[in-house]
Amino acid sequence: MPRDMEQRDKDNRARGAPKDRRDAPSREDVDTSSVRGTLSRHHSSVRDTHARPEQPDEGTQYDDQHIDGGGAHTPPSPHRGANDTVPATERGDSSLRFARDSGLRQPDGDGRRKQPRTGWQDGSAADAHTQESGTPLREDAGAADNGAQRPHQPRLQFSKDETPPPREGGVVSDRAKAARRRADKAASELDQAREALPTTRRPRVEKTFDDQKAKMKRKLVFEEEVKSKRAHLRGNALTRPVNAGKNAAVGYAHKKIHEVEHENVGTEAAHKTELLAEGGLRTAYRAHKTKPYRRVARLERKVPRLNMKADYKQALADNPKLKSNIFSRMAQKRKIKREYARIAREARKTGQRAKKAATATGNIAARIAGFVRRHPTAFIIIGILALLLIIIMTTVSSCSNLASSTMGAVAATSYLAEDADIDNAELFYTEWETDLQLRVANAESEFPGYDEYRYSVDDIGHGAYELMAYLTARYQAFAYAGIQADLQSIFNEQYQLTFTEEVETRYADPDDENEDGDLEPYEWRILNVTLTSRSFTEVIAPRMNTEQMQHYELLMRIKGNRQYSGSPFSFNWLPYVSDGYGYRIHPITGEKDYHKAVDIAVAQGTEILAGHDGVVTFAANNGGYGLVVVLEGEDGLVTKYAHCSELLVSQGQTVAMGDVIAKVGSTGDSTGPHLHFEVIKNGQYLNPLYFAITNDDGSSYIPPGSPGGVDIPAYPGEPMGNGSYAALMEEAQKHLGKPYVFGAKGPDTFDCSGFVCWSLSKSGVYQISTNAQGLYNACTPVSRENARPGDLIFFTGTYNAGRPVTHVGIYIGNGQMIHAGKPVQYASIDTRYWTDHFYAFGRLSGN
């Protein structure tokens, strides 16, 4: 053996390298077990493995002995240790990387084979590692690591930047490049096809444990998922009954034609042609609907096949020795196929685990069912709810996915907070508004000594349904303590109350005390009381995102799905609410009062219905309540019906929901015929607007005479006589210029309804004391063509009152009205503002 070869052999043995070819790994040892990987659902493409990363810094050495099996030594990131692997989460796609240390030796320039050596054995490579990893350099690094086994690293990469560079001086096969391009193109098409699949947003109730309150919190979340092909073909669940009815009708028509078509050859031929055409259309429709799914399925079969082919071509390009042996090529191809098969199995297992997780989340449906069992009345209207949802979803298409199932619809249209939290939210907001109203009303006693008080006061109020829809849409199952700060912020943004002092210099000396014949100056002190308010809807809208706004709009239509009690009337009583639940200024005492009910101002003698099954525990006169019925049902539910004119049940009697139990009256502490209706659950008073059925279908907000609104009768009754009209106008004109103050009934300040009621009552034309909605309820609708002086004119949406009619004036003819504006004044009804808010004309009977 030549001396230089002997010396090399000794050096190799000192390093632990194999002595000759018999000690070196064989060709069959080519990377049959070190391929690691996983398939990504979204990125199954294999990126260009020949893209060369940035060149290493000077001094970092790479030897062609490190290149093996298609891989190359990749310099470690300066942010990782030399032997750290790339985490799977940092990889963008799923491509295969073959072993760098499989043991194949590459020929050098003179045809002799260099012995394989690793960076742990080669001094220069070891230096590169320690420099990159930050480990101090050692002179004996090669000797100290003699014979050490290099740690195993995964052989997969998922991005171009982590692809091993090709061997320096090596030639990449054109076939490998072309195969990789085809695989990448197919993978890109698969990504696009998956993104094009139809999706749906499914509502799900998520429960979390609140450690501070030691109770479960519920939150409605929307999860986006790909629609199944079956669901996409069947269409929207809410429209399926309509489609089924249509198909049944078509099928019935075909059946009838088939029964008689044999009597006429022409009819039979035409019918068969029609059936054939319908079948073709159905096939074409099905093909069109399933095209995205078929494209994904085709590409999912194609991409792995092209990836395997590209990996195989790359292996041949990076391992020239494989080309010379058909058995090695076959082994490498089988190895790649087995690896892809293993990855596919793991992907299926992952999918099964995801399916099990979805099944576990299906228990949410059971929890929702439990919620419905606790609120049984909700299911009484489930059929009506489904019908309403169909109508709603056709007009609010962006919300159609909210009701993909019955349980999902119930959850998406329900107030999810606890009863106490719902009650507190409404109570505190009404209390803040009542305190604000009292400050305005008591300005003169709070700031005495001024010569004049000038008022510029906007309306005070919010819609109860708006408040709860906002809180549910934004916070889901909220706790009052968690939303109190937001409510206070909304209140402060909605209302601004200021008291501003102003001093005017005036002149007077009627007795000429100075005997100079001149007027003497003096100071006139004025307190300006200014309340500016914004719409509650305007304030809350910017606080919600698009999804929350959609949820809010749906809740506004369904009204929360939390009804314990049925309706006390057979009609929609929501427009007849004259006083709401919560804090208010008492109409008799003028003091701050917690009103535990809603007052429903309907005609004397109107029949009152039991809101639920139960036993009458009280039926008699009870002081301020007047004649009252107390009905106790199951699960701690109690309802009260007060100020009745007549009781039709007795104590101890069992009644069913819908039975007539009394008639509306004005007994006890009452200012007029109405029903005082209370709902109590487990000893807690609740807002009947949330917890009782109102029979409201939204039609009350449609102006009379409009499509969907009530009809305007051709003859609304005789108009006001000349004498009555003259008396009414004489009284109304006395108050021109007087300031508007919300809730004021006169005589020095008025709100809109206070001014009209005062003018009607003091003139002797009509005795009434109510709000704008109550005045409308007392009227017969009149068309503009038939409107006469003395009729009333009504407007809607001028502020958040929670009812359709929010403003009223007295019509004086020729497009003019007199009303409590700011101040009491004449106004044209044809201005842009009043035209936009116009609701109806109305005529009081018996004038």
Side-chain angles (χ1 to χ4, degrees):
M1 181 182 299
R3 183 178 302 276
D4 59 344
M5 295 185 68
E6 288 181 356
Q7 184 61 38
R8 184 188 302 171
D9 188 49
K10 291 179 181 179
D11 293 342
N12 287 339
R13 278 182 288 175
R15 294 188 180 100
K19 180 176 180 180
D20 54 24
R21 292 184 62 183
R22 289 173 298 177
D23 298 321
S26 66
R27 296 175 185 172
E28 285 72 21
D29 292 330
V30 176
D31 190 26
T32 59
S33 62
S34 60
V35 181
R36 300 290 185 268
T38 184
L39 287 178
S40 169
R41 177 176 179 273
H42 299 291
H43 302 281
S44 58
S45 61
V46 182
R47 307 302 179 194
D48 186 1
T49 58
H50 307 294
R52 188 185 299 270
E54 296 180 15
Q55 295 298 323
D57 297 335
E58 253 185 68
T60 306
Q61 300 179 7
Y62 296 93
D63 202 338
D64 56 0
Q65 279 94 343
H66 294 87
I67 305 168
D68 192 65
H73 185 84
T74 305
S77 167
H79 304 295
R80 295 192 188 95
N83 297 317
D84 288 347
T85 59
V86 180
T89 54
E90 296 181 17
R91 299 189 282 245
D93 58 351
S94 55
S95 59
L96 296 173
R97 175 167 59 194
F98 296 93
R100 296 193 290 262
D101 306 310
S102 59
L104 281 181
R105 296 172 296 175
Q106 305 298 334
D108 57 14
D110 59 1
R112 291 175 297 179
R113 300 192 179 277
K114 298 181 180 179
Q115 299 294 334
R117 41 191 180 105
T118 67
W120 293 71
Q121 296 167 330
D122 184 2
S124 62
D127 290 345
H129 273 287
T130 49
Q131 289 172 8
E132 293 286 348
S133 63
T135 306
L137 298 177
R138 293 183 296 150
E139 293 182 1
D140 58 344
D145 293 326
N146 184 24
Q149 295 295 323
R150 187 169 180 170
H152 173 73
Q153 296 183 356
R155 305 308 182 195
L156 278 178
Q157 66 178 23
F158 290 77
S159 68
K160 271 186 181 178
D161 295 337
E162 298 178 29
T163 303
R167 192 168 52 246
E168 290 190 12
V171 179
V172 179
S173 166
D174 290 338
R175 292 185 177 181
K177 285 184 177 180
R180 178 57 56 213
R181 282 196 299 270
R182 287 192 294 271
D184 288 347
K185 181 180 178 182
S188 178
E189 291 175 356
L190 177 58
D191 289 342
Q192 295 174 5
R194 283 174 173 162
E195 291 175 0
L197 287 175
T199 60
T200 182
R201 291 215 309 267
R202 186 180 299 278
R204 180 174 67 83
V205 177
E206 183 180 86
K207 297 185 74 172
T208 57
F209 187 77
D210 189 339
D211 294 330
Q212 295 180 349
K213 296 192 174 183
K215 69 175 186 179
M216 298 298 294
K217 295 179 63 177
R218 294 184 291 272
K219 180 180 180 182
L220 187 66
V221 297
F222 296 86
E223 296 180 342
E224 186 166 351
E225 61 182 30
V226 175
K227 278 187 180 179
S228 68
K229 183 166 66 175
R230 176 181 174 84
H232 188 53
L233 277 172
R234 295 181 66 190
N236 190 340
L238 296 174
T239 60
R240 287 173 197 164
V242 178
N243 293 333
K246 179 186 67 177
N247 294 335
V250 173
Y252 179 78
H254 282 306
K255 178 183 177 182
K256 289 300 182 183
I257 294 173
H258 180 70
E259 291 175 356
V260 298
E261 65 180 1
H262 62 278
E263 298 175 1
N264 189 298
V265 176
T267 302
E268 183 176 5
H271 187 218
K272 292 188 181 301
T273 302
E274 183 183 356
L275 289 174
L276 184 62
E278 288 181 3
L281 288 175
R282 283 195 297 270
T283 302
Y285 174 77
R286 182 181 179 86
H288 171 71
K289 295 282 281 187
T290 60
K291 183 178 179 181
Y293 298 93
R294 288 186 285 109
R295 185 166 183 257
V296 169
R298 176 174 57 81
L299 288 172
E300 284 179 343
R301 293 190 299 270
K302 181 179 179 181
V303 168
R305 185 172 66 251
L306 291 178
N307 279 338
M308 288 187 287
K309 186 174 181 179
D311 291 337
Y312 175 66
K313 294 291 185 183
Q314 185 61 47
L316 294 182
D318 291 336
N319 297 274
K321 286 296 180 181
L322 291 175
K323 298 179 181 180
S324 63
N325 190 315
I326 187 173
F327 298 107
S328 297
R329 294 200 304 272
M330 292 174 61
Q332 188 72 3
K333 183 177 288 188
R334 283 197 302 271
K335 175 187 62 180
I336 295 172
K337 287 184 177 181
R338 284 196 302 269
E339 183 61 23
Y340 271 90
R342 181 187 64 79
I343 293 170
R345 286 194 301 272
E346 290 181 354
R348 283 195 297 270
K349 290 179 181 178
T350 302
Q352 290 172 357
R353 286 193 293 270
K355 186 176 181 180
K356 290 179 180 179
T359 303
T361 59
N363 293 331
I364 294 169
R367 292 197 289 271
I368 296 175
F371 163 79
V372 175
R373 281 195 299 270
R374 295 193 303 272
H375 305 83
T377 309
F379 261 64
I380 296 175
I381 59 168
I382 199 66
I384 300 174
L385 172 63
L387 180 60
L388 285 176
L389 284 175
I390 293 173
I391 298 170
I392 292 166
M393 297 312 168
T394 56
T395 56
V396 189
S397 57
S398 57
C399 290
S400 61
N401 291 331
L402 290 177
S404 57
S405 67
T406 301
M407 289 301 178
V410 172
T413 56
S414 300
Y415 302 144
L416 299 176
E418 298 294 335
D419 293 350
D421 294 311
I422 293 174
D423 187 64
N424 284 334
E426 177 68 11
L427 275 181
F428 277 92
Y429 211 87
T430 57
E431 184 173 17
W432 297 337
E433 289 179 330
T434 302
D435 290 341
L436 182 65
Q437 188 176 348
L438 284 171
R439 285 208 69 192
V440 173
N442 298 329
E444 297 181 18
S445 59
E446 184 179 353
F447 301 96
Y450 286 89
D451 299 306
E452 182 182 350
Y453 296 85
R454 294 179 180 173
Y455 295 88
S456 177
V457 180
D458 287 343
D459 296 300
I460 300 173
H462 71 282
Y465 294 119
E466 288 180 305
L467 173 64
M468 205 50 55
Y470 163 74
L471 292 176
T472 303
R474 185 170 182 189
Y475 297 104
Q476 310 301 321
F478 63 86
Y480 176 72
I483 55 92
Q484 183 177 3
D486 187 32
L487 275 187
Q488 187 69 66
S489 174
I490 292 172
F491 181 84
N492 294 337
E493 192 174 343
Q494 184 181 4
Y495 302 109
Q496 295 290 331
L497 175 62
T498 58
F499 299 90
T500 307
E501 184 182 81
E502 181 181 349
V503 179
E504 292 182 356
T505 300
R506 298 189 176 185
Y507 296 86
D509 190 6
D511 299 329
D512 194 16
E513 295 179 1
N514 296 335
E515 298 182 353
D516 58 2
D518 297 330
L519 297 177
E520 303 300 329
Y522 67 95
E523 290 185 346
W524 183 261
R525 297 177 65 242
I526 304 167
L527 181 67
N528 292 296
V529 182
T530 305
L531 173 65
T532 58
S533 67
R534 298 174 59 194
S535 164
F536 183 83
T537 308
E538 178 187 349
V539 174
I540 63 175
R543 298 169 182 257
M544 293 183 284
N545 58 33
T546 302
E547 184 177 281
Q548 290 168 345
M549 183 59 77
Q550 293 172 355
H551 192 192
Y552 166 85
E553 291 172 353
L554 186 57
L555 286 166
M556 284 294 293
R557 287 164 173 80
I558 304 303
K559 296 182 172 60
N561 247 357
R562 292 292 293 269
Q563 293 82 6
Y564 293 120
S565 171
S567 174
F569 296 110
S570 59
F571 52 87
N572 173 20
W573 51 265
L574 192 59
Y576 297 90
V577 174
S578 57
D579 221 340
Y581 175 89
Y583 284 91
R584 63 170 183 172
I585 296 178
H586 197 281
I588 296 177
T589 65
E591 301 295 330
K592 180 178 176 180
D593 173 57
Y594 169 30
H595 191 221
K596 303 173 183 177
V598 291
D599 289 343
I600 307 170
V602 294
Q604 178 101 1
T606 304
E607 292 183 341
I608 300 171
L609 310 181
H612 54 93
D613 299 344
V615 177
V616 176
T617 58
F618 187 88
N621 192 299
N622 188 21
Y625 275 97
L627 294 176
V628 59
V629 174
V630 179
L631 181 61
E632 184 172 341
E634 297 180 350
D635 300 325
L637 177 63
V638 176
T639 51
K640 294 181 183 179
Y641 311 81
H643 304 307
C644 302
S645 62
E646 183 180 357
L647 303 182
L648 304 178
V649 292
S650 57
Q651 184 171 342
Q653 183 177 339
T654 300
V655 298
M657 184 173 70
D659 288 349
V660 179
I661 58 175
K663 293 184 179 181
V664 171
S666 186
T667 56
D669 295 336
S670 172
T671 58
H674 71 281
L675 169 65
H676 174 98
F677 179 47
E678 297 180 3
V679 176
I680 307 165
K681 178 73 170 177
N682 296 325
Q684 178 180 345
Y685 286 91
L686 301 173
N687 190 345
L689 294 184
Y690 301 146
F691 296 97
I693 295 173
T694 64
N695 293 326
D696 178 52
D697 58 0
S699 62
S700 60
Y701 283 84
I702 302 174
S706 302
V710 299
D711 294 332
I712 296 178
Y715 178 72
E718 286 294 319
M720 186 177 293
N722 291 335
S724 297
Y725 175 68
L728 176 63
M729 290 305 298
E730 182 181 359
E731 180 63 34
Q733 289 170 349
K734 292 179 183 178
H735 309 289
L736 285 170
K738 288 187 177 180
Y740 174 95
V741 175
F742 178 79
K745 307 300 181 185
D748 299 320
T749 57
F750 293 97
D751 65 5
C752 66
S753 60
F755 167 71
V756 173
C757 289
W758 179 281
S759 300
L760 288 169
S761 299
K762 295 301 181 180
S763 65
V765 172
Y766 198 97
Q767 294 296 320
I768 190 170
S769 177
T770 184
N771 55 22
Q773 182 70 60
L775 284 165
Y776 171 78
N777 295 338
C779 289
T780 301
V782 182
S783 66
R784 177 156 187 175
E785 293 75 17
N786 291 329
R788 297 291 183 268
D791 288 337
L792 303 185
I793 183 170
F794 301 95
F795 301 91
T796 185
T798 55
Y799 75 105
N800 293 104
R803 52 183 175 266
V805 178
T806 58
H807 190 78
V808 61
I810 302 172
Y811 184 58
I812 60 176
N814 298 320
Q816 298 288 315
M817 68 176 175
I818 184 171
H819 72 125
K822 297 179 182 178
V824 176
Q825 58 185 310
Y826 294 105
S828 170
I829 65 173
D830 294 320
T831 61
R832 176 66 179 273
Y833 179 83
W834 295 118
T835 301
D836 289 345
H837 291 278
F838 175 75
Y839 186 77
F841 287 95
R843 182 168 297 170
L844 293 167
S845 60
N847 298 325

